[in-house]
Amino acid sequence: MKKLLTGDFLGDFDEAALDQFILRDQFRRLKARVENTILHKNDNNDIVVRGDDAFKLEYPLNEESVVRFSSYINTLTDMYLEDCQVYFAMIPDKNYYVQSSSDFLSMDYQKLEALLHDSIKGMTLIDLKDALSLTDYYHTDPHWKQENLDGVLERLRQEMELETDFSSIATTVKRFAPFYGAYYGQSALNLAPDTIEYRVTKASLNAIVKNVEYTGDPDQAPGVYDEQKLGQLDSYDVFLSGSTPLVTIENPDSKTDKELIIFRDSFASSLAPLLIEEYQKITLIDLRYVSRELIGDFVDFEGSDVFFLYSTLIINHSDILK
């Protein structure tokens, strides 16, 4: 009991779990239950579970990171985007929607927004906060649900003057379960899994995807939905095959020659297959994996719409950008 109260017991459990891999998951689950129910810790591995939802602690606001992020994209805009129509939107992490009622610490979102508004230059700022709610995020994962992005699409249609009525497009919904999100494993608790839904349209079926990291047969290249990823380590990678420095989506059926370039994190992977209805080509650039100094060698920005779409999780940790 003394070891339990001092925390030595939990350290011993970690060591034992690593030494006896077969029982590792059981040990981790027991450790999480001890910390939650006996030691009354609010979190386990920085994961807080409330009801059906798991949240990752994101506190405090890193003001230096926000300023660095703004300076980073301002410099990028000066380098490449002088003649482009440029938009920016922040995706709130799911903690934003429980900040007033939760019993765990959240960052100062108002200050975060104020810092961005004061420092980002030369682009249209799009507010997505009221286009989303907690139910638009997976229970066990930080990402938003593609099937719940109607409000986001409508906000983008208004702010970016898009011509597509996304709600009128014929769609087949496909589903995969169980989906164990990133927070499921980190919590080490037996949470109820999610279901992934994704929208298949004529444009998404015919879209041609070119991923800079794909080295296989071009005729066998995955489309916007890489179903081979379902049931693997992270089933969210069904959207555009997961993280990659550079990927393009071409819509051969497009009636326009419009192009969109998205500077993004993983949230955009599930949004881009819906936006292809509006564009002939979408280019997604992930600056966590490629330097901004190099992208001018691979991407022609002239005449394109440009969209910076980043979650608060990246803005608060902007040193991850190259």
Side-chain angles (χ1 to χ4, degrees):
M1 180 57 73
K2 182 179 179 181
K3 277 194 169 186
L4 184 68
L5 296 176
T6 60
D8 292 343
F9 170 80
L10 300 177
D12 291 345
F13 253 134
D14 279 337
E15 185 176 348
L18 291 173
D19 289 341
Q20 303 181 47
F21 184 79
I22 294 175
L23 298 176
R24 186 171 186 270
D25 288 344
Q26 290 90 330
F27 278 132
R28 292 183 70 239
R29 189 164 295 130
L30 177 58
K31 171 180 175 288
R33 288 177 176 170
V34 168
E35 290 195 341
N36 287 157
T37 59
I38 298 179
L39 300 183
H40 301 293
K41 283 189 66 178
N42 219 356
D43 68 286
N44 181 49
N45 299 327
D46 286 340
I47 302 296
V48 178
V49 177
R50 293 293 178 269
D52 295 330
D53 288 291
F55 305 86
K56 188 175 183 66
L57 294 177
E58 186 64 30
Y59 177 85
L61 173 66
N62 185 339
E63 296 183 36
E64 181 179 338
S65 175
V66 179
V67 172
R68 181 171 55 240
F69 174 84
S70 301
S71 176
Y72 183 94
I73 66 173
N74 285 338
T75 300
L76 197 152
T77 301
D78 292 339
M79 292 171 65
Y80 300 115
L81 310 179
E82 183 177 354
D83 298 321
C84 298
Q85 182 65 50
V86 186
Y87 305 90
F88 172 85
M90 176 192 78
I91 303 171
D93 63 85
K94 58 199 291 189
N95 298 17
Y96 172 83
Y97 295 100
V98 296
Q99 58 181 310
S100 61
S101 58
S102 71
D103 55 353
F104 57 90
L105 294 170
S106 298
M107 73 170 84
D108 186 338
Y109 292 98
Q110 288 186 331
K111 192 161 192 176
L112 168 59
E113 272 203 287
L115 287 170
L116 291 175
H117 278 259
D118 288 344
S119 54
I120 289 179
K121 309 297 182 186
M123 57 190 78
T124 301
L125 304 184
I126 301 175
D127 188 352
L128 297 181
K129 298 192 305 299
D130 63 348
L132 291 162
S133 67
L134 179 60
T135 59
D136 298 326
Y137 296 76
Y138 295 110
H139 298 304
T140 65
D141 196 76
H143 292 105
W144 57 18
K145 302 174 184 175
Q146 190 199 55
E147 70 270 21
N148 284 25
L149 294 182
D150 290 340
V152 170
L153 289 169
E154 177 58 22
R155 182 62 49 82
L156 298 183
R157 190 184 69 81
Q158 295 171 1
E159 298 289 342
M160 299 171 69
E161 299 182 354
L162 306 181
E163 298 176 358
T164 302
D165 179 2
F166 295 98
S167 64
S168 67
I169 296 171
T171 301
T172 299
V173 177
K174 300 188 75 173
R175 296 179 176 85
F176 171 81
F179 168 43
Y180 299 100
Y183 295 164
Y184 180 91
Q186 294 175 33
S187 74
L189 294 172
N190 192 25
L191 306 177
D194 286 283
T195 296
I196 285 182
E197 296 188 9
Y198 49 102
R199 295 178 174 180
V200 179
T201 66
K202 180 181 177 183
S204 71
L205 280 173
N206 294 338
I208 300 168
V209 177
K210 296 179 181 178
N211 186 331
V212 70
E213 291 192 327
Y214 178 75
T215 58
D217 183 349
D219 294 334
Q220 302 298 319
V224 296
Y225 302 122
D226 186 353
E227 295 178 329
Q228 291 187 357
K229 299 293 186 182
L230 295 171
Q232 295 192 14
L233 183 61
D234 186 356
S235 293
Y236 185 79
D237 288 349
V238 66
F239 301 108
L240 291 176
S241 304
S243 299
T244 185
L246 182 67
V247 61
T248 62
I249 311 170
E250 297 176 15
N251 177 4
D253 301 325
S254 175
K255 295 181 173 58
T256 78
D257 59 356
K258 294 176 60 178
E259 295 191 18
L260 174 67
I261 295 168
I262 305 177
F263 291 96
R264 57 95 172 213
D265 54 29
S266 53
F267 282 76
S269 295
S270 55
L271 177 65
L274 306 178
L275 290 175
I276 196 60
E277 307 289 342
E278 174 78 12
Y279 291 94
Q280 183 184 62
K281 181 179 179 182
I282 297 178
T283 301
L284 297 102
I285 302 168
D286 195 331
L287 294 167
R288 294 175 295 176
Y289 308 109
V290 60
S291 167
R292 66 184 176 192
E293 281 75 22
L294 297 178
I295 57 175
D297 296 337
F298 303 98
V299 180
D300 180 6
F301 295 94
E302 185 175 0
S304 298
D305 292 343
V306 178
F307 188 20
F308 289 92
L309 180 64
Y310 282 99
S311 70
T312 50
L313 303 175
I314 295 294
I315 298 170
N316 207 40
H317 300 278
S318 63
D319 54 354
I320 199 173
L321 301 176
K322 294 184 178 297

